[in-house]
Amino acid sequence: MHTENIAEGIIRLKKERDAVILAHYYQIPEIQNIADHVGDSFALSRLAAELPHKIIVFCGVDFMAESAKLLSPDKTVLLPVKHAGCPMADMATDADVRKMKAQHPDAAVVSYVNSSTAVKAVSDICCTSSNAIKVIRSLPNEKIIFVPDKNLGGYAAEQIPEKTFILHNGYCPPHEDVMAIDAKLAGEQHPDAQLLVHPECRKEVRDQADFIGSTAQIIKYAGESDHNEFIIGTEQGILHPLRTANPDKTFHKLTGHFICPNMKKTTLKHLHESLQENKHVIEIDREMAERARKPLEKMLEC
Ligand code: 13P
Ligand code: SF4
């Protein structure tokens, strides 16, 4: 008798339960391959708001699954690994935001989606790395409080010099760990390659880049470019879709250790268990959810 393998089990359970599997580009290749949709934070949150399925299984980190729940409150949202978190999101608290607001009452609070639900609940609008510039430009306020990523906030400030930015001092550890010297050495090793980096990188790394964008924007740029060789300045999970979509192009890692440990926690076994045992259901306090949903919806309307 045929014994069902883990991938077949996932596909069967997904159909039986009317579930859809969303995965971020930083997930391991096996998860990206079995997911119904793989994307950047913006695309995945838009899908979470629109998809008709009863269950959303989010292969990513907690703030992504929480955003999906905020946008689809009547659905069951599952995060396969309970402790897949985001250290950057944990760096900012709602108390930090309240304090910044008290000091700058005329500023609009823009929170990167990589933030807790409590932080979103005290924000005016959310953004992702793909739409931060557009979102901030759309605001009438001259002053912007940006939380938690000082690097994405710094990048936005450079692009929008007409506004004043008050930055929280959070950062993404895997991106912050990349130094100017790493980018310089990679460029010397691969002189014909273009450097494509995520805005979560430090300014000194961004300044050396040929292109700066979100994961989806990096994939689009590399696919459409006439260049054949690239150094990729973001988490190495993105190399899987880049190499799959562009078999004739060459992609180098910016450093050998560009890894988000939290994004690597989810395995096929976790995904199978998640669908079979309803693990782990995202639950958010109703009153907090009402407040945190608004800035996310505002972002999607922008
Ligand atoms: P994007 O996919 O939106 O570029 O986000 C990067 C990221 O750090 C997600 O944790
Ligand atoms: Fe958080 Fe950075 Fe990991 Fe994204 S890559 S989940 S921002 S720690």
Side-chain angles (χ1 to χ4, degrees), residues 91-93 96-97 100 146-150 166-170:
M91 287 177 195
T93 64
D96 295 344
V97 178
M100 292 165 93
F146 192 89
V147 282
D149 188 6
K150 62 177 180 179
I166 301 107
L167 304 179
H168 190 272
N169 59 3

Side-chain angles (χ1 to χ4, degrees), residues 24 26 40-42 63-64 112 114 129 198 200 214-215 263:
H24 189 267
Y26 296 162
D40 70 352
S41 307
F42 181 70
F63 74 80
M64 297 180 166
Y112 191 21
N114 304 35
S129 54
H198 197 278
E200 288 176 13
S214 76
T215 52
M263 283 285 187

Side-chain angles (χ1 to χ4, degrees), residues 93-266:
T93 64
D94 55 327
D96 295 344
V97 178
R98 285 183 212 278
K99 201 170 151 193
M100 292 165 93
K101 264 170 107 165
Q103 285 165 352
H104 305 279
D106 51 338
V109 178
V110 181
S111 59
Y112 191 21
V113 284
N114 304 35
S115 58
S116 67
T117 300
V119 163
K120 290 185 178 80
V122 288
S123 301
D124 294 302
I125 191 163
C126 290
C127 73
T128 70
S129 54
S130 66
N131 65 10
I133 310 300
K134 186 176 164 204
V135 163
I136 295 166
R137 280 213 178 106
S138 77
L139 298 169
N141 311 59
E142 188 270 324
K143 259 191 191 176
I144 303 295
I145 293 171
F146 192 89
V147 282
D149 188 6
K150 62 177 180 179
N151 291 319
L152 176 61
Y155 173 64
E158 286 162 23
Q159 302 300 308
I160 315 174
E162 64 276 21
K163 291 192 191 263
T164 307
F165 283 72
I166 301 107
L167 304 179
H168 190 272
N169 59 3
Y171 56 87
C172 162
H175 285 83
E176 178 83 354
D177 278 354
V178 179
M179 300 294 168
I181 186 72
D182 297 314
K184 186 171 173 283
L185 290 175
E188 283 168 9
Q189 247 188 316
H190 309 290
D192 297 329
Q194 281 202 325
L195 175 63
L196 318 183
V197 312
H198 197 278
E200 288 176 13
C201 287
R202 290 166 179 266
K203 175 173 169 48
E204 354 17 319
V205 173
R206 295 196 310 268
D207 283 349
Q208 297 180 57
D210 295 288
F211 178 77
I212 302 169
S214 76
T215 52
Q217 289 167 340
I218 288 176
I219 292 169
K220 186 168 184 287
Y221 179 91
E224 291 174 358
S225 169
D226 291 337
H227 277 78
N228 288 318
E229 197 181 351
F230 304 92
I231 301 161
I232 301 301
T234 192
E235 211 275 349
Q236 64 182 43
I238 197 178
L239 291 165
H240 177 62
L242 280 169
R243 288 178 176 147
T244 307
N246 305 284
D248 300 333
K249 296 190 178 184
T250 307
F251 299 96
H252 308 285
K253 294 176 190 170
L254 175 43
T255 69
H257 48 83
F258 212 149
I259 297 172
C260 172
N262 283 283
M263 283 285 187
K264 298 292 181 259
K265 285 180 178 168
T266 310

